[in-house]
Amino acid sequence: MKIVIAGAGEVGSHLARLLSRENQDIILVDQNDEKLALLDSTCNILTQTGSPTSMTMLKTAKVPQCDLFVGVTPYETTNILSCSMAKSLGAKKTMARIDNYEFMEPSNLEFFGQIGIDSMVYPEYLAAIEILKALECNWMRNWVELHDGKLIVAGVKIRAGAPLAGKHLRELSEMEHFFHVAAIKRNHETIIPRGDDSVLTNDIIYITTTPDHIEELRKICGKKKVDIHNVLIMGGSRIAVRLINMAPERYRFKIIDINRERCEELTQKCPGCKIIHGDARDTDTLQEEGIEAMDAFIALTGSSETNILTSLTAKEYGVRKTVAEVEDIQFISEAENLNIGTIINKKLLASGKIFQMLLDADSESSKFMAMADADVAEVEVKPDSKITKAAVKDMKLSHDLTLAGLIRNGNVMLVNGNTRFEAGDHVVVFCLAGAIHKVEKLFS
């Protein structure tokens, strides 16, 4: 695909790196020469210096011939305008990063479609959704619903004494087959496991299962679910505002923010939520605000290090569930190995949303979750595709991907060696970073 990305900031740079590994035809546009020079030297992409709202620049970047134009500069108005211009020049699809949730309301979508915006991504909204999932399914690290919730992907950390700890996958396959271990995160490395691999203590395993087996899955992972009501948030960010306005009434939120002006704004944006002006890095402040009585602690400041360390402090006070925003991707593996519940990264969430458009033209039938070094996608099987030619055991699949589940005519099935795929099946695929192009070859 020919893809033009406008904006070499955090989201644009990360997306460019991901796509360059998949051998996509990428042109990255930005006004900052230094950012482009760094990416040009490390990624297989073309770069173009200039404004994404310049007609001349868009034509030079071959926007009229592109399959997808993505506006992900830090400025919402620039993204919307550049996408509208790109569409008028002939770009087949456009996607704009936005900062205003109002734009995503159904009553406004028709307007944006008329001006050439095919899709919008609001990273803070995606992050808020992930945090709500983390509060609801608090014994998991990750929770992804595929195909209207008929298939679940769960990320769970295995503690000592869990029934799964020490088991070979071959042994697990002999048990009642209601789950599939699709990936294992161990010591900063993601493994696509085979029968000889074992599940070890402190592994984070990614499992596919069905909703009616969630309780069984919780038990074999040795986990306990806790009821969450009282939630303390450090940092009154846009994620915090969106979360509080989306959350059910059973949650009682309290926000601590170090900026007095921001606290005053939060009293208007989060009615009914207690706002405290203070520094949550200070243990005295945490004690004064009742950290020991909290069921969950969510760290949403602009500092990944602060969020990680304060979440660890909350754990020491007995908080059962912690969530930390970690925007520095190099810190994610370290954070996952620490005693922190759920890691949120807007760049990964936004790039995963954009990947949906690449995996399937129908974004409603394709899901994508990007981890730090691996991906999980739901992909539709096309007629006469390579994956329909043989049973799984005869395919000689690459060792950097696994087929974990499928939905056929609305019925959910887990995949084994005898499974044969048919056109129209929706298949859940786990693959290591850089292997998504192999998935496309199998399914297209």
Side-chain angles (χ1 to χ4, degrees):
M1 291 183 72
K2 292 183 179 297
I3 303 167
V4 178
I5 302 172
E10 292 183 337
V11 174
S13 298
H14 181 65
L15 183 61
R17 290 189 183 97
L18 284 177
L19 294 173
S20 69
R21 294 203 299 259
E22 314 307 336
N23 296 320
Q24 303 287 356
D25 186 359
I26 311 297
I27 296 178
L28 182 62
V29 178
D30 198 278
Q31 298 186 77
N32 189 313
D33 280 322
E34 292 182 6
K35 288 181 179 179
L36 292 177
L38 178 62
L39 288 163
D40 196 21
S41 63
T42 57
C43 302
N44 182 26
I45 62 173
L46 296 175
T47 58
Q48 193 76 47
T49 304
S51 169
T53 57
S54 162
M55 278 290 189
T56 302
M57 177 54 60
L58 293 177
K59 291 175 182 177
T60 303
K62 301 181 181 179
V63 166
Q65 292 82 41
C66 77
D67 298 296
L68 175 64
F69 180 89
V70 183
V72 285
T73 76
Y75 309 107
E76 177 183 72
T77 52
T78 299
N79 297 334
I80 291 172
L81 179 57
S82 63
C83 282
S84 181
M85 295 169 66
K87 192 73 170 183
S88 70
L89 288 172
K92 292 180 182 177
K93 286 188 177 294
T94 63
M95 174 177 276
R97 177 187 177 177
I98 61 170
D99 300 323
N100 189 342
Y101 179 72
E102 183 183 8
F103 292 171
M104 299 185 68
E105 293 178 359
S107 58
N108 295 326
L109 292 180
E110 183 179 354
F111 165 78
F112 286 101
Q114 290 173 349
I115 65 172
I117 315 298
D118 293 312
S119 186
M120 292 179 283
V121 58
Y122 180 18
E124 287 75 13
Y125 170 70
L126 299 176
I129 290 175
E130 290 299 306
I131 294 171
L132 276 179
K133 290 179 187 176
L135 296 179
E136 293 287 336
C137 311
N138 47 67
W139 56 275
M140 300 182 190
R141 293 292 182 99
N142 304 91
W143 167 282
V144 179
E145 296 182 4
L146 299 173
H147 214 78
D148 298 323
K150 292 178 181 177
L151 196 64
I152 305 297
V153 179
V156 187
K157 187 160 189 175
I158 302 300
R159 301 294 187 185
L164 279 185
K167 297 283 188 183
H168 282 84
L169 264 62
R170 187 172 287 108
E171 295 178 70
L172 300 180
S173 65
E174 297 169 358
M175 300 168 59
E176 185 181 353
H177 199 64
F178 63 85
F179 65 91
H180 179 103
V181 179
I184 299 174
K185 189 74 177 288
R186 179 183 299 156
N187 297 329
H188 311 297
E189 181 185 5
T190 299
I191 303 166
I192 302 296
R194 297 294 184 256
D196 292 333
D197 288 305
S198 300
V199 176
L200 305 181
T201 300
N202 292 324
D203 281 351
I204 299 174
I205 61 173
Y206 292 89
I207 307 177
T208 54
T209 189
T210 54
D212 52 323
H213 288 114
I214 290 297
E215 273 303 296
E216 294 170 83
L217 180 61
R218 182 183 63 78
K219 291 174 183 177
I220 67 169
C221 290
K223 295 292 184 176
K224 293 181 180 179
K225 183 178 180 179
V226 297
D227 291 328
I228 290 179
H229 299 287
N230 299 312
V231 182
L232 180 61
I233 301 176
M234 177 178 71
S237 66
R238 286 196 303 238
I239 298 176
V241 173
R242 183 49 41 203
L243 171 65
I244 290 169
N245 283 280
M246 290 168 53
E249 293 183 359
R250 65 178 177 273
Y251 294 115
R252 295 183 289 271
F253 291 99
K254 184 186 291 188
I255 299 178
I256 301 178
D257 196 280
I258 200 169
N259 186 302
R260 182 177 292 277
E261 291 182 3
R262 182 59 178 169
C263 287
E264 293 173 356
E265 293 175 7
L266 291 170
T267 58
Q268 303 296 320
K269 295 181 177 182
C270 303
C273 176
K274 186 175 181 181
I275 311 297
I276 296 97
H277 174 234
D279 188 349
R281 296 172 297 181
D282 182 4
T283 54
D284 290 337
T285 301
L286 290 176
Q287 289 178 322
E288 287 173 11
E289 299 307 327
I291 184 67
E292 294 172 333
M294 293 294 161
D295 303 310
F297 178 82
I298 304 171
L300 299 175
T301 75
S303 167
S304 298
E305 299 96 321
T306 297
N307 294 339
I308 293 169
L309 292 173
T310 315
S311 294
L312 290 172
T313 301
K315 281 286 188 179
E316 291 176 359
Y317 279 105
V319 178
R320 297 294 299 274
K321 181 66 179 181
T322 57
V323 180
E325 181 184 2
V326 180
E327 291 302 323
D328 296 294
I329 291 178
Q330 67 268 26
F331 292 159
I332 290 179
S333 290
E334 292 291 346
E336 286 179 334
N337 286 328
L338 297 170
N339 190 27
I340 295 174
T342 298
I343 305 300
I344 299 294
N345 182 285
K346 298 197 301 292
K347 293 189 286 292
L348 293 178
L349 292 170
S351 60
K353 179 71 173 177
I354 296 168
F355 257 51
Q356 288 184 29
M357 297 184 70
L358 308 182
L359 290 171
D360 198 315
D362 179 7
S363 63
E364 295 303 315
S365 67
S366 177
K367 297 285 196 316
F368 189 90
M369 179 180 75
M371 297 181 284
D373 56 359
D375 311 309
V376 54
E378 177 191 331
V379 192
E380 184 178 352
V381 178
K382 299 296 189 293
D384 297 320
S385 57
K386 185 178 179 180
I387 200 168
T388 63
K389 306 302 183 184
V392 170
K393 63 183 179 183
D394 300 321
M395 285 185 193
K396 297 181 180 179
L397 292 172
S398 171
H399 282 252
D400 50 9
L401 64 86
T402 186
L403 310 173
L406 73 92
I407 301 95
R408 177 179 296 161
N409 299 324
N411 298 313
V412 175
M413 294 176 273
L414 297 178
V415 176
N416 58 43
N418 296 317
T419 301
R420 292 188 70 107
F421 297 103
E422 300 174 1
D425 287 349
H426 289 255
V427 183
V428 177
V429 185
F430 272 79
C431 61
L432 299 183
I436 202 70
H437 64 283
K438 297 178 183 178
V439 176
E440 293 174 336
K441 289 179 181 178
L442 279 173
F443 285 84
S444 61

